[in-house]
Amino acid sequence: MINKCAAASAIIVVCSLITTGCWDRQEVKNLAIVTATGLDYNKDGTYTQSVQIAIPSPTTQASGGGNDQKTFFVISAKGKTLADTRQHLQQTIHLKLYYSHRRVIIIGEQMARNGLEQVLDSFHREIDMRMRNMVFVTKGTDAAAMLKSPVTLESIPADQFRYLHLQPSGRSTTIMNFDATASSEGIDPTMGAFEVVQEHSSDESATSQTTAPKPRIKLYGVGIFKKLKLVGYLNDEETRALNWITGNITDSYLTTYIPQGHGNVSVHILGAKRAIHSKVLGKTIRMNVSVSGECELIEDGTDLDFSRPENVKLVNDILSSTVKRSIENSVKKTQQLYKADVFGFGRIFHAAHPQEWKQLSAPWSTLYPQVDVTVHTQISVIGSGFAKMPLYRNESSGEVK
Amino acid sequence: MKFRKYRSARIATEPVLHAPHAGCDIPIVSTLSKNEQLLKGIFQNCSDVVFHSTPTPMHTETLALYINGLPDTKHLDDIILNSLIGSDSQSPQQAFHKNFTPVSMSRKVALLSDVVDSVLGGEVVFLFEGEEHGLAVSVQGNERRAIEDPPSEPVIRGPREGFVESLLTNTSLLRRRLRSANLKIEMSEIGQLSRTEVAIVYLKDIAKDELVNNVRDRLNRIQIDGVLESGYIEEFIADAPYSPFPQIQNTERPDVVIGSLLEGKVAIITDGTPIALILPMTFWAGLQASEDYYERSFISTPIRWLRILFTSVSLLLPSMYVSLVSYDHPALPTNLLLSIASSQRLSPFPAIIETLLMEITFEALREAGVRLPKGVGSAVTIVGGIVIGQAAVQAGFISAPVVIVVATTGIASFIIPRYNFGLAFRLLRFPLLLLSGFMGFFGLMIGIIAIIIHLAALRSFGLPYLFPVAPLSMVGLKDVFLRKAWFSMNLRPSSAAQNNLLRIPPEQQPDQRNKGD
């Protein structure tokens, strides 16, 4: 009896092992690992999809200091839909295109201006799509060119986008966040924007004199979307203002000219707080934005004596007004030029005044340009970095105000 | 489906009973020559049996009977024969009793079969003319290994004595460590032909009675012609002989035996082998080394964690690697995926084949290293290292990560302190590897679940194999994932102990109060 059971179970196990499984087996060497995808819209109404495929880094012994080793290559294909382009892509490479490790999706400017409905639809249906892929938009180039620009010091080429956007004027959006923002009322989505700049080799050696200028990727700011269409960009400074309002300003520097000190100061922002309150005054909606930040002085080109409180106050005031001006400019730009509420004022208003929100005469996107935004900023330098006056400032220069 | 049909005809199950001298349950007669004749018939063709006739001053014929080499002949000559010759007392027997009972073991024998048993047991039997019983004197020779460092369980800190092949030496080693009349050593013989002496050792009032009885019963049931090593016994008495996991711990170290006895366990010591058995065994006992208890608990505890970690590594790493690179690439970090892809690109085999090949090669190397004479062993290591490590990769047979995985697995499997416990993991690695090769992580999980079910179902002499963890026992847990300090391990684990659970009175923690000031 025992023997019967044992024999039967052994047969079952062996059969199930032989007859199941293994169809999913996919050796790593047969995969083309896609690290980034670029999407472009052509004038004839077709799409171009480019994929950046990482070349598995050969073992270290082969690389004799060759820092120009190609770590990736890009292939592109045209098609009527994105799925169509994917199929055309697969026809040009013998390995299975493998999207699970894709990190970044770059959307060309034309594509973005044309609208993202179809792109998002495709993304939502793709089986190997990670909703936490970052999406960026290009400025002035198409996505394919951006993907092709060389990368140094990075084995996963697409990671440069992920690390670049960590700069203070960068903003990262994942597909998931973009969806959520785009589908909610009272806020318009943004996407980090990159541009390609031609970099002239700065080294003086004779060999590099002859080399053509290399394209490099540079963080530009954000692209602003309205109804899933790109309507414009905010540049570096405007993006910082956006970050001030949304409370994302971190590890950022601020430089401004102090006329009384005949020079510039740079401060390092240590922490920032913001509070936005909405008010309804008759017909107009007012948003009170108050931003406060603490910073330390990191570079001082002025001749002010920072041991004096009035000088510190002076610098604080100038810094605050600088920030205030930049925030006001950005808000104005979004209100008048793009009519897109990227700051999410509508959302805040909705949360604070649900009743009034229901009785709005028109959709928020049309009301937004008339919203009255007042900005209060208070930036204070908490560390001047001086225990005493520096030695090189002798008394004879005697500026001290 | 009748398998019975194909079975060969059953062999007679009657064992060859040990009857080398059948029909000699007859008493010794008073005629010496007749006895001699009978005995010579029994020991026919046994060239090593010596019949030594000694005349005594009383002119009574005396026959000394022994197996050449077993008794200490010098001892025999010096003491016994001299006394025989020099004694002018009433009878040689009385001379014996007077002179040598204190010195050595001697007893009367009345049956011929007793004579034979004594002779085979290495004693010297004296038969006297006109006497109806002989005298068996034990003058054991001592050709045996000296007590030395146990080679299979070396320690850095701890006693360096290991068991030897002689049962009596081994029991004396135990007695020396536990001077208590509660330390019981019950001898019995197992094996019809080998008549191997086996001792059950336990602490009365600490070990559970039913456990001791259970062990006794299982030992008494064994019928076999010869027992050469305690492994014979282990297979006869284990609960699940076909489980890969050992349910009986074995050790060469007397201190380990004593430590287990103090926890209420039972030890079985077999003559002729230095390996003692300890039961019941739990899964966690396989992960503990004697040194854990000698080194400070602050150090022993993290070392235990390391062992648990690497035990699971030795079981799972190859199959995890295979499932990651053949099925579940999304779970790998991209950098790792890229470097694996670059090295795999050079090798011709799929990951499962590579890993299997290398694992089998490694196991073969390991086995070769154990079996070879010491001088050759190092050569094997060098060749194996070069073949496994460099050449296979450089020739493009095997990808480099596989070598790393196999090497790590090898190192991890050496960390398991109990050799027989490590063998289970060594074996189970392969089914898991096949499962993950066929089904990826899904198969691996099936395998792990099967192993856990098996472990949970396993019993060792009535004790669940995963004892302090499943079923949970807080007292036992003090000695599984942690090795709490001695002053806080107050209670015996209730696994095998029955009463006297308190072993260390509480509140002995060194603190500010009993620091000298």
Side-chain angles (χ1 to χ4, degrees):
Chain A
M1 193 64 225
I2 297 279
N3 278 339
K4 271 188 197 177
C5 285
S9 53
I11 288 168
I12 289 169
V13 167
V14 170
C15 286
S16 61
L17 276 182
I18 294 169
T19 53
T20 62
C22 270
W23 61 72
D24 272 341
R25 197 167 63 82
Q26 189 64 260
E27 290 294 321
V28 183
K29 55 187 163 196
N30 302 329
L31 299 176
I33 299 157
V34 175
T35 55
T37 298
L39 301 173
D40 285 308
Y41 182 72
N42 306 319
K43 290 193 176 63
D44 58 1
T46 56
Y47 297 108
T48 299
Q49 182 162 211
S50 321
V51 288
Q52 192 181 55
I53 295 167
I55 298 174
S57 54
T59 43
T60 46
Q61 50 185 327
S63 65
N67 52 0
D68 276 351
Q69 230 170 27
K70 275 192 73 81
T71 53
F72 68 93
F73 62 99
V74 177
I75 54 175
S76 302
K78 264 190 180 187
K80 296 188 192 71
T81 62
L82 292 185
D84 195 23
T85 59
R86 282 229 301 280
Q87 199 163 356
H88 288 302
L89 278 174
Q90 190 62 73
Q91 285 167 359
T92 62
I93 184 162
H94 63 290
L95 301 176
K96 184 180 187 308
L97 284 171
Y98 172 71
Y99 295 93
S100 289
H101 276 263
R102 176 167 55 184
R103 292 161 136 57
V104 167
I105 293 161
I106 306 284
I107 294 174
E109 185 173 351
Q110 283 311 312
M111 180 96 203
R113 289 199 187 274
N114 186 53
L116 296 183
E117 288 92 343
Q118 194 172 338
V119 175
L120 288 174
D121 179 83
S122 162
F123 283 165
H124 292 167
R125 294 170 196 266
E126 252 180 61
I127 193 150
D128 46 13
M129 181 71 208
R130 302 274 174 271
M131 294 312 281
R132 299 191 46 207
N133 271 170
M134 291 186 172
V135 276
F136 296 110
V137 66
T138 65
K139 180 173 189 304
T141 56
D142 52 6
M146 179 150 288
L147 289 185
K148 281 179 185 144
S149 51
V151 188
T152 43
L153 303 178
E154 185 58 64
S155 59
I156 307 166
D159 269 352
Q160 61 173 337
F161 299 106
R162 300 201 327 176
Y163 298 136
L164 263 177
H165 87 261
L166 294 174
Q167 297 310 313
S169 61
R171 271 179 87 80
S172 70
T173 321
T174 59
I175 299 236
M176 200 167 54
N177 294 349
F178 187 85
D179 278 349
T181 318
S183 58
S184 58
E185 285 275 288
I187 186 165
D188 286 312
T190 58
M191 256 188 218
F194 287 96
E195 58 180 341
V196 177
V197 294
Q198 296 299 325
E199 181 197 63
H200 291 273
S201 281
S202 55
D203 40 13
E204 310 270 321
S205 59
T207 51
S208 57
Q209 287 293 320
T210 56
T211 54
K214 275 190 190 163
R216 277 199 84 74
I217 290 165
K218 182 169 176 288
L219 186 62
Y220 178 77
V222 295
I224 295 176
F225 284 78
K226 198 171 172 184
K227 296 211 171 71
L228 296 185
K229 281 189 170 60
L230 178 74
V231 291
Y233 296 93
L234 292 181
N235 65 16
D236 181 76
E237 193 190 335
E238 291 154 348
T239 308
R240 280 170 205 245
L242 169 64
N243 280 339
W244 273 112
I245 295 184
T246 51
N248 294 348
I249 198 88
T250 46
D251 198 30
S252 168
Y253 297 113
L254 188 59
T255 301
T256 187
Y257 181 72
I258 311 286
Q260 294 88 334
H262 317 102
N264 290 312
V265 291
S266 281
V267 291
H268 179 205
I269 295 156
L270 296 172
K273 288 197 183 76
R274 46 115 202 192
I276 303 174
H277 296 291
S278 54
K279 270 191 190 157
V280 186
L281 308 165
K283 282 280 179 192
T284 59
I285 296 167
R286 170 171 291 180
M287 307 297 295
N288 284 324
V289 179
S290 54
V291 171
S292 65
E294 289 180 339
C295 51
E296 57 179 356
L297 191 66
I298 57 159
E299 196 172 325
D300 174 24
T302 65
D303 44 16
L304 293 177
D305 176 7
F306 278 98
S307 58
R308 294 190 177 185
E310 61 267 28
N311 285 339
V312 177
K313 188 177 177 310
L314 172 83
V315 172
N316 286 351
D317 289 347
I318 294 175
L319 284 171
S320 301
S321 62
T322 312
V323 173
K324 180 176 154 81
R325 213 168 29 244
S326 95
I327 290 177
E328 279 170 346
N329 286 342
S330 315
V331 170
K332 208 167 287 169
K333 191 172 179 180
T334 59
Q335 280 184 318
Q336 290 162 12
L337 189 60
Y338 303 136
K339 301 184 172 53
D341 177 11
V342 293
F343 305 98
F345 289 139
R347 210 189 252 185
I348 290 160
F349 177 73
H350 184 178
H353 301 88
Q355 294 303 324
E356 288 85 342
W357 177 266
K358 279 181 192 162
Q359 294 153 13
L360 284 179
S361 54
W364 180 257
S365 51
T366 56
L367 289 179
Y368 174 63
Q370 284 94 48
V371 172
D372 178 17
V373 180
T374 56
V375 183
H376 307 279
T377 57
Q378 190 190 355
I379 309 294
S380 48
V381 178
I382 57 167
S384 67
F386 292 133
K388 298 176 82 169
M389 282 300 283
L391 294 174
Y392 51 79
R393 293 206 188 158
N394 45 16
E395 297 303 316
S396 62
S397 66
E399 27 52 54
V400 183
K401 295 168 177 147
Chain B
M1 255 178 47
K2 280 220 165 117
F3 294 107
R4 194 171 287 270
K5 245 190 290 184
Y6 306 106
R7 224 184 263 160
S8 55
R10 298 205 58 164
I11 301 160
T13 48
E14 281 306 308
V16 186
L17 280 172
H18 93 91
H21 34 277
C24 60
D25 288 342
I26 46 172
I28 297 170
V29 289
S30 51
T31 332
L32 187 60
S33 55
K34 194 158 190 241
N35 288 333
E36 190 173 357
Q37 201 187 347
L38 277 172
L39 286 165
K40 280 202 167 159
I42 290 167
F43 287 122
Q44 200 183 2
N45 288 349
C46 298
S47 319
D48 55 346
V49 179
V50 177
F51 291 83
H52 189 91
S53 300
T54 330
T56 55
M58 309 288 295
H59 297 291
T60 45
E61 277 290 308
T62 306
L63 177 68
L65 187 60
Y66 60 93
I67 291 179
N68 205 347
L70 290 188
D72 185 356
T73 41
K74 188 168 177 296
H75 202 169
L76 197 68
D77 294 351
D78 281 0
I79 301 175
I80 300 168
L81 294 184
N82 282 345
S83 80
L84 258 179
I85 295 161
S87 78
D88 43 2
S89 55
Q90 316 80 353
S91 80
Q93 271 195 57
Q94 286 164 343
F96 267 154
H97 285 303
K98 209 160 68 180
N99 291 322
F100 303 109
T101 323
V103 181
S104 49
M105 290 171 49
S106 67
R107 56 194 172 85
K108 282 187 180 178
V109 284
L111 292 179
L112 267 188
S113 58
D114 288 344
V115 175
V116 173
D117 284 353
S118 306
V119 169
L120 290 172
E123 295 173 329
V124 184
V125 178
F126 292 92
L127 297 176
F128 309 96
E129 180 67 48
E131 292 275 359
E132 292 209 340
H133 44 73
L135 202 59
V137 180
S138 176
V139 275
Q140 286 282 0
N142 47 4
E143 307 81 19
R144 55 179 72 117
R145 206 161 52 91
I147 293 174
E148 51 192 35
D149 205 353
S152 66
E153 294 166 87
V155 290
I156 291 173
R157 176 175 179 178
R160 307 235 186 285
E161 284 184 331
F163 284 136
V164 294
E165 283 76 5
S166 149
L167 176 71
L168 288 173
T169 315
N170 294 346
T171 51
S172 69
L173 284 174
L174 296 180
R175 273 280 174 223
R176 216 169 287 162
R177 283 183 166 73
L178 217 56
R179 299 183 188 174
S180 158
N182 274 349
L183 174 62
K184 304 295 181 193
I185 301 180
E186 294 182 12
M187 302 267 187
S188 58
E189 280 187 354
I190 299 182
Q192 277 96 1
L193 294 179
S194 71
R195 320 257 312 273
T196 311
E197 292 206 308
V198 175
I200 306 175
V201 186
Y202 60 95
L203 273 172
K204 195 171 176 301
D205 297 339
I206 288 178
K208 277 187 183 156
D209 291 340
E210 57 259 42
L211 173 66
V212 179
N213 294 337
N214 192 349
V215 174
R216 232 183 257 128
D217 291 348
R218 292 194 197 188
L219 280 183
N220 289 340
R221 277 209 298 265
I222 300 178
Q223 287 197 341
I224 189 174
D225 52 356
V227 175
L228 301 186
E229 214 277 333
S230 49
Y232 288 43
I233 292 172
E234 181 180 350
E235 288 209 339
F236 269 106
I237 64 176
D239 294 57
Y242 291 114
S243 166
F245 292 94
Q247 300 117 65
I248 296 177
Q249 187 184 327
N250 60 45
T251 183
E252 276 193 88
R253 304 183 58 88
D255 53 324
V256 173
V257 172
I258 295 292
S260 309
L261 292 183
L262 287 170
E263 288 177 2
K265 294 181 178 176
V266 176
I268 298 176
I269 300 177
T270 314
D271 193 25
T273 177
I275 309 290
L277 304 176
I278 299 172
L279 46 96
M281 180 192 186
T282 60
F283 181 87
W284 311 104
L287 298 173
Q288 295 166 2
S290 57
E291 213 168 335
D292 295 358
Y293 300 100
Y294 306 144
E295 199 46 78
R296 291 175 307 127
S297 59
F298 185 77
I299 309 295
S300 301
T301 298
I303 286 181
R304 277 196 178 170
W305 298 341
L306 193 76
R307 280 201 205 114
I308 290 168
L309 172 73
F310 271 82
T311 303
S312 36
V313 162
S314 81
L315 180 67
L316 302 176
L317 184 69
S319 30
M320 277 187 69
Y321 173 79
V322 168
S323 20
L324 279 174
V325 301
S326 302
Y327 292 91
D328 304 284
H329 334 93
L332 280 169
T334 311
N335 275 317
L336 191 58
L337 182 73
L338 286 174
S339 61
I340 287 175
S342 74
S343 48
Q344 275 228 322
R345 198 141 292 183
L346 309 170
S347 83
F349 304 112
I352 170 73
I353 302 285
E354 279 188 327
T355 321
L356 259 181
L357 274 179
M358 288 304 271
E359 281 293 343
I360 290 171
T361 315
F362 173 77
E363 292 298 343
L365 262 177
R366 198 169 143 176
E367 196 52 33
V370 173
R371 299 285 154 252
L372 277 177
K374 281 197 174 67
V376 195
S378 58
V380 167
T381 330
I382 293 167
V383 170
I386 290 172
V387 166
I388 278 199
Q390 268 184 299
V393 176
Q394 281 186 345
F397 276 22
I398 302 290
S399 62
V402 172
V403 174
I404 295 167
V405 163
V406 169
T408 315
T409 312
I411 297 289
S413 65
F414 292 136
I415 208 173
I416 302 173
R418 310 259 181 246
Y419 185 73
N420 60 341
F421 190 70
L423 291 180
F425 291 94
R426 195 174 155 183
L427 180 79
L428 287 172
R429 202 179 301 152
F430 289 94
L432 286 184
L433 196 52
L434 281 173
L435 277 169
S436 55
F438 280 117
M439 291 181 265
F441 260 115
F442 180 68
L444 179 57
M445 280 325 291
I446 289 178
I448 293 173
I449 289 169
I451 288 175
I452 288 176
I453 289 174
H454 172 72
L455 283 174
L458 208 54
R459 296 282 180 276
S460 169
F461 287 81
L463 179 70
Y465 199 56
L466 294 170
F467 165 63
V469 177
L472 195 66
S473 143
M474 293 319 276
V475 176
L477 272 186
K478 284 187 177 182
D479 195 14
V480 174
F481 300 110
L482 310 170
R483 205 282 278 169
K484 304 230 5 192
W486 274 113
F487 49 76
S488 66
M489 281 205 277
N490 311 108
L491 298 177
R492 289 195 169 80
S494 51
S495 51
Q498 63 175 11
N499 36 26
N500 280 331
L501 283 180
L502 186 71
R503 75 191 287 197
I504 297 157
E507 316 228 331
Q508 296 189 69
Q509 180 163 357
D511 57 8
Q512 301 303 325
R513 269 175 301 138
N514 46 17
K515 262 189 194 172
D517 39 313

